[in-house]
Amino acid sequence: MTNALSGFLAGLGRPVLEFLALIGRITLFAAQAVGHIFRPPFYWREFGQAVMQIGWFSLPVVGMTAIFTGGALALQIYAGGNRFGAEAVVPQIVAIGMARELGPVLGGLMVAARVASSIAAEIGTMKVTEQIDALTTLSTNPMKYLVAPRILAATLTLPVLVAVGDSIGIMGGWLVGVTRLDFNSATYLKNTVDFLQVWDVGSGLVKGAAFGFIVALMGCWHGMNSGRGAQGVGAATKAAVVAASVLILAANYLLTEVFFSA
Amino acid sequence: MIELRNVHKAFGPNKVLNGVDLTIARGESMVIIGGSGTGKSVMLKSVLGLVTPDSGSITLDGQDVTTHERDAFLARFGMLFQGAALFDSMSVWENVAFRLLRGRLKRPKAEAREIAIEKLRRVGLGPQVADLFPAELSGGMQKRVGLARAIAAEPEIIFFDEPTTGLDPIMSGVINELIREIVTEMGATAMTITHDMTSVRSIADKVAMLHGGVVRWTGSVAEMDATSDPYVQQFIHGRADGPIPSVR
Ligand SMILES: Nc1ncnc2c1ncn2[C@@H]1O[C@H](COP(=O)(O)OP(=O)(O)OP(=O)(O)O)[C@@H](O)[C@H]1O
Ligand SMILES: [Mg+2]
């Protein structure tokens, strides 16, 4: 009886302990990576390439996501507002919705799909083909050379992507508002600008930075811990995208609580 | 001098190294032979700290390798990986000059490129490959680029993991001569893993045979030919029958 009970408790406890240990290892990994950002040498070329890869080449996908989301948002708010005669709030709600929530979250998720996967696949392949070992033997710390530049680049460029996404999303709303919902163009824009407060946009940018950090951290962590062979890299890539997406949504809720709960 | 004492390493239930003892004197060319999968590559990697042994000690000039200042320690080494391990995001010459483009050995780009092209020439590759990417090369060419990268910064200790595997006989000859030259002219210490007996004969000062997780036999090439050890005999003559099982 006691045996069965302790067996049951052990079975319950082991996954919990393993999960806590995993969190511990990832935290340590993140702390090391951040430490390397602030200690020389710093690999500027790798940083520049990461900025291009993560930021510049993500612009089209983030822009497309934002414009369609902004447009759909305008239609929905109009329909919803219509039920109690509040159609006029479209510009304000589109703006606040994009800046506070949809800009950072959708931008983060799109970048997670694009970038967490490619970082994990690239670093994972380097791991299984011994390129990471080769880096070490060439007196180059892989944490400093591969991980730190990517994490810094993602953390700095994602807020920029969010800002671009916010603007394009609001434009999408404006386009739909003016062409489909009979808003006056100048009034729409004036209402948007007058209504938005600095912190509406600022909080979204802070979220963006947090999501960028999460995306690069998950990509790097899963790549560096990839299993052997093509199968190992495939599994690492998938795990990186899933983990980054879930963590982004969880972090978004937490940050929203911290920033906006009364 | 590199000394391995009673080194053990297991991957899960797979006991790979089971008490390896080996001494490599300064300026000596040591060749490691042994069946596929016996842990030769793992042994090399454990000296460099890429694999952490479960127990035992590895020392360089009497000092435990784990206590050396990591950067200074690694700066003394060059390593050719079994799979070449070239960085596929950069061109051939940038691979070869990797050490010369960053860190304490950093120098102007033009100069680093010149050195890279010279090292490529030494492994039998012309300057036209310098701007190609590793994926555009054949397996044997990649191996030689890996070799050029290992020797580019003229390290005092060089590890070669199967340097002639996948090369034609003439190229193998060139590489054997190069390794010999590096040891005799530059006074480097070399540890080479190979399955190629011609290679063993042309580059070895001493030969060590790894079998069953231990160094089963060590001696000079002449001693290797004369020994009555049935494991060594079977191995160097490539016989299917003998004490070494053919399924492992
Ligand atoms: N990172 C690792 N994880 C798990 N097992 C490993 C790892 N590296 C090596 N092994 C195992 O250790 C054993 C020895 O591998 P090693 O690569 O050292 O062999 P080898 O003697 O170099 O063989 P070959 O001549 O074929 O290159 C093998 O059974 C291999 O499966
Ligand atoms: Mg090997």
Side-chain angles (χ1 to χ4, degrees):
Chain A
M1 178 62 211
T2 46
N3 255 347
L5 185 67
S6 69
F8 173 74
L9 286 177
L12 210 66
R14 200 168 302 118
V16 174
L17 283 181
E18 272 167 17
F19 183 68
L20 290 178
L22 178 69
I23 291 184
R25 283 200 299 276
I26 294 180
T27 309
L28 201 66
F29 182 87
Q32 273 177 7
V34 172
H36 281 298
I37 291 175
F38 295 105
R39 266 177 289 128
F42 194 75
Y43 296 105
W44 288 105
R45 208 180 114 183
E46 277 60 39
F47 174 72
Q49 283 171 351
V51 167
M52 291 303 285
Q53 199 55 47
I54 297 166
W56 183 250
F57 293 119
S58 294
L59 274 175
V61 68
V62 169
M64 294 291 257
T65 310
I67 196 157
F68 291 126
T69 306
L73 203 56
L75 292 178
Q76 295 284 28
I77 294 164
Y78 187 84
N82 198 19
R83 291 183 196 166
F84 39 93
E87 305 91 335
V89 297
V90 168
Q92 290 89 334
I93 305 297
V94 166
I96 203 170
M98 280 314 296
R100 281 189 179 192
E101 283 295 320
L102 294 173
V105 171
L106 291 179
L109 290 176
M110 294 317 276
V111 173
R114 238 196 115 253
V115 172
S117 56
S118 78
I119 292 179
E122 189 180 357
I123 295 184
T125 305
M126 291 184 74
K127 169 102 191 288
V128 302
T129 56
E130 297 183 317
Q131 292 179 51
I132 305 271
D133 283 345
L135 272 181
T136 307
T137 63
L138 291 165
S139 308
T140 303
N141 187 331
M143 286 297 284
K144 198 178 258 316
Y145 182 79
L146 295 174
V147 177
R150 283 171 172 76
I151 288 188
L152 183 64
T155 309
L156 294 182
T157 54
L158 220 84
V160 180
L161 282 174
V162 168
V164 173
D166 288 353
S167 320
I168 294 180
I170 289 171
M171 256 179 48
W174 165 81
L175 214 60
V176 169
V178 171
T179 57
R180 309 265 297 101
L181 307 173
D182 287 338
F183 276 89
N184 174 283
S185 170
T187 321
Y188 189 107
L189 290 177
K190 185 176 182 322
N191 282 347
T192 301
V193 174
D194 287 350
F195 181 77
L196 266 189
Q197 292 173 357
V198 173
W199 184 232
D200 292 332
V201 178
S203 67
L205 301 187
V206 174
K207 282 181 176 180
F211 301 164
F213 182 82
I214 288 172
V215 164
L217 180 67
M218 286 298 107
C220 292
W221 160 263
H222 284 99
M224 293 290 268
N225 290 284
S226 161
R228 305 178 85 191
Q231 214 170 15
V233 177
T237 308
K238 181 181 66 184
V241 177
V242 172
S245 308
V246 172
L247 283 178
I248 283 175
L249 295 171
N252 179 56
Y253 176 74
L254 281 178
L255 289 175
T256 306
E257 273 285 357
V258 172
F259 291 160
F260 298 109
S261 72
Chain B
M1 190 172 74
I2 303 168
E3 264 191 303
L4 290 87
R5 286 286 159 264
N6 201 21
V7 172
H8 289 254
K9 177 69 191 178
F11 293 100
N14 180 10
K15 291 205 179 83
V16 179
L17 303 180
N18 246 324
V20 168
D21 286 299
L22 188 67
T23 305
I24 300 132
R26 183 181 283 268
E28 181 177 78
S29 172
M30 168 68 81
V31 169
I32 316 287
I33 59 172
S36 182
T38 47
K40 303 181 297 297
S41 300
V42 168
M43 187 173 88
L44 230 57
K45 286 183 192 169
S46 46
V47 175
L48 290 168
L50 300 173
V51 165
T52 316
D54 300 331
S55 65
S57 78
I58 303 175
T59 57
L60 172 66
D61 299 334
Q63 195 188 342
D64 197 287
V65 292
T66 52
T67 63
H68 276 269
E69 204 267 302
R70 198 89 182 110
D71 265 5
F73 173 77
L74 288 167
R76 299 171 64 181
F77 283 87
M79 163 98 184
L80 164 65
F81 285 84
Q82 188 166 355
L86 301 179
F87 304 125
D88 36 34
S89 61
M90 38 183 108
S91 67
V92 164
W93 84 264
E94 287 171 309
N95 264 281
V96 175
F98 191 89
R99 260 215 166 128
L100 311 174
L101 291 169
R102 43 183 74 69
R104 61 173 78 190
L105 293 175
K106 190 175 165 120
R107 61 197 70 200
K109 216 169 167 174
E111 193 185 326
R113 188 185 156 94
E114 219 162 277
I115 296 173
I117 287 177
E118 159 62 16
K119 299 293 173 189
L120 286 170
R121 196 188 56 71
R122 296 198 65 184
V123 297
L125 291 167
Q128 74 282 359
V129 302
D131 292 306
L132 298 180
F133 280 83
E136 298 172 290
L137 304 181
S138 75
M141 290 164 90
Q142 290 182 3
K143 202 65 182 255
R144 286 184 282 151
V145 174
L147 191 66
R149 184 175 71 184
I151 63 172
E154 304 187 350
E156 43 174 310
I157 307 158
I158 317 186
F159 292 172
F160 302 104
D161 198 340
E162 305 195 7
T164 58
T165 305
L167 302 188
D168 65 66
I170 300 170
M171 232 0 116
S172 299
V174 170
I175 298 305
N176 289 336
E177 247 170 58
L178 173 66
I179 293 176
R180 193 63 245 173
E181 223 173 273
I182 288 169
V183 173
T184 44
E185 278 170 28
M186 288 158 51
T189 308
M191 179 141 75
T192 311
I193 297 174
T194 186
H195 295 300
D196 173 357
M197 293 316 292
T198 320
S199 210
V200 176
R201 289 172 203 289
S202 51
I203 63 183
D205 292 325
K206 279 182 92 179
V207 181
M209 178 166 180
L210 196 64
H211 182 77
V214 295
V215 173
R216 193 180 152 92
W217 185 90
T218 32
S220 66
V221 174
E223 287 167 332
M224 177 183 79
D225 287 324
T227 182
S228 58
D229 187 298
Y231 289 84
V232 177
Q233 281 295 316
Q234 186 194 349
F235 194 86
I236 65 176
H237 294 112
R239 297 194 193 104
D241 311 319
I244 307 175
S246 48
V247 177
R248 47 196 136 91

